[in-house]
């Protein structure tokens, strides 16, 4: 059996080239940017008024009780206006181009208008209330870099520079595969010895949070059927995520069938809890990667977050998340197994705390709903102490 | 002008009853649960073998070198098997019902099978490797409470108890409204005095992260058109989110038209930066709530997160997020305005740090892409110190 660290490194050593994809701007939300985004012009693209009021050519008289005649109006969305007489002013609206021969904007709140004559009531500073052309970004400046997650803020930036379509990292074609005769569909009433399929729905939902729409299969414990279905799945997908069927049971045909179908087993069984019987393989010819998780809900969920998501980030060329959290309770790890312990989290006074969730082994589905993630603890002789900082993998957004 | 705290309380004092909606299990992902979820039977529903191996009736002889004849096999997904002779055993698979008259499971790794006779090679504990019926949850136990956000873990729990459809909190019908003649579509090339519409795409994307698909409108600076379009929008929607058109400009017809259409102005202008000209109103007859944000990207984005999202949570009957973060730099707030300052965040040694983003005023769109959220600072004479804990609103997931 190999250690968690070895298994993790072996998984990350088998990334796939997932290519890129062009999607519409709104569809790019929560995807990973696969191109650099540049300013198509200066931002702002012109000297822009930031207040409603008047535009003047600043001179000392702007502070000297001089009154200005209003020559006209510079609205937003119209071409640049011109101030003809520097002793006059133009009314100017927020978002408008500052008129030619003007260099200062005074807001309505600071002026009085009386019979077309403007008096300024507050001290004016030359150049005020103007957002200068190119002061945020110059044309051709790099605004967003390849590899960034696209959130609403990036949608706004890309809209501004005219990216109606965006190149994003490609998604793997994923099939989630449940195995076992004991499983029935969610809308069925299980017989006493049956349970409903839930594990792979959890994983499908988790994949949706990475914007991956997975297909699904349910394999019964029938070797011939497993062979036929797995062969097709290996051809049609980039990634297979299986749950169950990798233990020592009589009907755990998956490893055997995989090898028969040309899959190369990279490892089987890891010194970890939960999820010890995790099986990982690749099909060198078809370029398919197979994560076969143990069937217990907590095992599947832990292995998905601890192996599959880092694998996905590596395939996208992204750095790995390294998150740490403080323990609110002492923990002793005596057995020589890496432990993934479900925790609820809390930020209190700016400190990020983890509290272990009371659970009842890896078959305990409801514990998942109490947890915000897993802490990842290596075995050691000394106890993990209250306040100690340990690695954390988030599972709830 | 009112303070941020007053404005915030006034917004929260006008929630809408958004009702509930029944959606399919997978569509409930990232929605808010609007029903309590109970166990439909015990979990596990039967005494379940957690290892592949043999099931025996424990007696001292299980540790005494006694060898067991294999009577048969208990597979997962079949009815409970019966052990006929307590001196024998049944092979049992993970997930199977523990056979009648058996109380202990010994895994294959700890036994030797020779000509149909099993010898146990390790010490056995009575009751081992069994996940007992009801040990996670008893039938009718409350598993998930109304008001919980549905993440993949909750999808798994609900699948287990047969929730093929789920009652979730209703979404408001939202229309996002951009105003101003200077705006052109993302796929158009703006003239020198024009800019692309980006603000409301940012907001539409943010709404999508709350699973709300908003419609959109663009109002030109034409009072008659604004009247016609706003009247329809007030009737057809629960919430209008506007950007621009609420300053003191000549073409800022929104407040005037709103009042003409029967909207009651709750407040206009708040002692805050960015976003001072924020306008908030309700239509008492149509039951429409109107958030009219200033047109600058940072103002709109800040006000969306600081007012609209708490309003949405309140309308859903949820407690408000109260997040705090530590300052990595000192900040002085001298003017009598509540400041929303964009920060990037980092968890370092379990401590959640905020570092102000260098920005160039509220028109600076690209700064949004550098920030993870806003800190929310009230003015005060003493400087905010390094390490001080301050309120934080997250904008990036």
């Amino acid at each position: 059996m190999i250690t968690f660290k070895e298994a993790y490194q072996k998984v990350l050593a088998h990334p796939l080239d997932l290519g890129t994809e062009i999607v519409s701007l709104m569809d790019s939300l929560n995807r990973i940017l696969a191109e650099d985004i540049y300013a198509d012009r200066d931002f702002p693209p012109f000297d822009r008024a930031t207040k409603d009021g008047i535009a003047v050519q600043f001179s000392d008289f702007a502070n000297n009780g001089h009154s200005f005649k209003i020559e006209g109006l510079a609205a937003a969305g119209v071409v640049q206006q011109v101030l003809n007489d520097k002793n006059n002013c133009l009314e100017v609206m927020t978002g408008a181009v500052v008129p030619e021969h003007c260099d200062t904007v005074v807001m309505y709140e600071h002026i009085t208008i009386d019979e077309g004559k403007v008096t300024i009531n507050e001290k004016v500073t030359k150049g005020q209330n103007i957002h200068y052309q190119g002061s945020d970004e110059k044309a051709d400046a790099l605004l967003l870099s390849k590899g960034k997650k696209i959130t609403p803020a990036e949608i706004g930036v890309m809209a501004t520079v005219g990216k109606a379509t965006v190149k994003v990292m490609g998604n793997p074609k994923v099939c989630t595969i449940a195995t076992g005769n004991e499983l029935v569909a969610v809308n069925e009433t299980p017989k006493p010895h049956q349970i409903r399929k839930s594990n792979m729905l959890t994983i499908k939902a988790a994949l949706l949070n990475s914007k991956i729409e997975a297909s699904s299969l349910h394999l019964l414990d029938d070797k011939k059927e497993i062979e036929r279905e797995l062969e097709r799945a290996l051809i049609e997908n980039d990634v297979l995520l299986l749950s169950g069927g990798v233990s020592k049971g009589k009907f755990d045909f998956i490893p055997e069938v995989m090898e028969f179908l040309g899959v190369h087993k990279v490892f089987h069984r890891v010194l970890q809890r939960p999820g010890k019987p995790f099986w990982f393989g690749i099909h060198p010819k078809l370029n398919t990667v197979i994560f076969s998780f143990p069937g217990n809900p907590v095992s599947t969920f832990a292995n998905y977050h601890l192996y599959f998501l880092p694998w996905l980030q590596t395939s996208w060329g992204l750095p790995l998340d390294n998150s740490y959290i403080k323990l609110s309770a002492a923990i002793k790890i005596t057995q020589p197994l890496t432990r993934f312990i479900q925790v609820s989290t809390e930020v209190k006074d700016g400190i990020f705390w983890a509290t272990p969730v009371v659970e009842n082994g890896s078959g305990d589905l409801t514990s998942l709903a109490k947890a915000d993630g897993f802490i990842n603890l290596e075995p050691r002789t000394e106890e993990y102490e209250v306040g100690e900082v340990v690695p954390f993998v988030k599972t709830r957004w």
Side-chain angles (χ1 to χ4, degrees), chain A residues 162-205:
Chain A
K163 295 293 298 178
T165 58
V166 182
K167 193 198 271 188
V168 296
M169 299 295 181
N171 277 339
K173 217 176 153 206
V174 180
C175 183
T176 60
I177 305 178
T179 65
N181 287 351
E182 72 274 29
L183 301 178
V184 302
V186 173
N187 58 0
E188 288 178 57
T189 303
K191 297 204 178 73
H193 54 278
Q194 297 176 322
I195 56 173
R196 293 191 186 88
K197 259 181 274 190
S198 62
N199 230 344
M200 277 304 157
L201 288 176
T202 308
I203 297 304
K204 278 185 93 160

Side-chain angles (χ1 to χ4, degrees), chain A residues 253-289:
Chain A
F253 302 121
I254 306 287
E256 184 189 338
V257 172
M258 288 286 184
E259 293 191 40
F260 174 76
L261 293 173
V263 173
H264 165 63
K265 178 183 85 177
V266 177
F267 60 81
H268 185 192
R269 298 170 73 74
V270 182
L271 286 162
Q272 63 183 18
R273 175 178 299 160
K276 206 198 278 182
F278 177 33
W279 188 104
F280 178 74
I282 55 159
H283 196 297
K285 285 188 195 146
L286 296 170
N287 228 5
T288 318
V289 177

Side-chain angles (χ1 to χ4, degrees), chain A residues 43-225:
Chain A
F43 285 94
F46 45 81
D47 292 348
R48 187 180 159 278
T50 64
K51 289 284 188 304
D52 302 306
I54 57 163
V56 296
Q57 191 179 130
F58 180 85
S59 311
D60 279 344
F61 61 65
N63 290 320
N64 275 345
H66 171 89
S67 75
F68 299 84
K69 202 183 125 207
I70 299 175
E71 266 186 26
L73 175 70
V78 296
V79 294
Q80 188 183 29
Q81 304 296 296
V82 183
L83 181 69
N84 294 313
D85 182 338
K86 68 168 190 170
N87 290 309
N88 295 341
C89 69
L90 284 166
E91 286 188 86
V92 68
M93 301 298 122
T94 302
V97 186
V98 174
E100 208 178 322
H101 304 139
C102 293
D103 55 14
T104 300
V105 169
V106 188
M107 61 174 134
Y108 282 128
E109 290 87 336
H110 295 175
I111 63 177
T112 320
I113 304 182
D114 189 24
E115 295 183 0
K117 285 273 189 180
V118 175
T119 314
I120 298 177
N121 309 319
E122 304 266 343
K123 194 174 174 331
V124 174
T125 310
K126 186 176 175 179
Q128 72 182 21
N129 298 327
I130 296 173
H131 191 183
Y132 286 98
Q133 176 168 347
S135 61
D136 289 349
E137 301 290 350
K138 296 287 180 203
D140 301 323
L142 179 65
L143 302 182
L144 303 175
S145 296
K146 192 172 150 168
K148 199 164 206 290
K149 182 169 173 191
I150 300 168
T151 72
E154 285 73 31
I155 295 284
V157 172
M158 291 194 286
T160 304
V161 300
K163 295 293 298 178
T165 58
V166 182
K167 193 198 271 188
V168 296
M169 299 295 181
N171 277 339
K173 217 176 153 206
V174 180
C175 183
T176 60
I177 305 178
T179 65
N181 287 351
E182 72 274 29
L183 301 178
V184 302
V186 173
N187 58 0
E188 288 178 57
T189 303
K191 297 204 178 73
H193 54 278
Q194 297 176 322
I195 56 173
R196 293 191 186 88
K197 259 181 274 190
S198 62
N199 230 344
M200 277 304 157
L201 288 176
T202 308
I203 297 304
K204 278 185 93 160
L207 287 163
L208 279 178
N209 278 346
S210 294
K211 291 266 255 186
I212 296 172
E213 292 194 33
S215 60
S216 39
L217 263 182
H218 176 199
L219 298 180
L220 296 176
D221 298 330
D222 173 303
K223 201 168 158 188
K224 274 289 151 214
E225 189 200 315

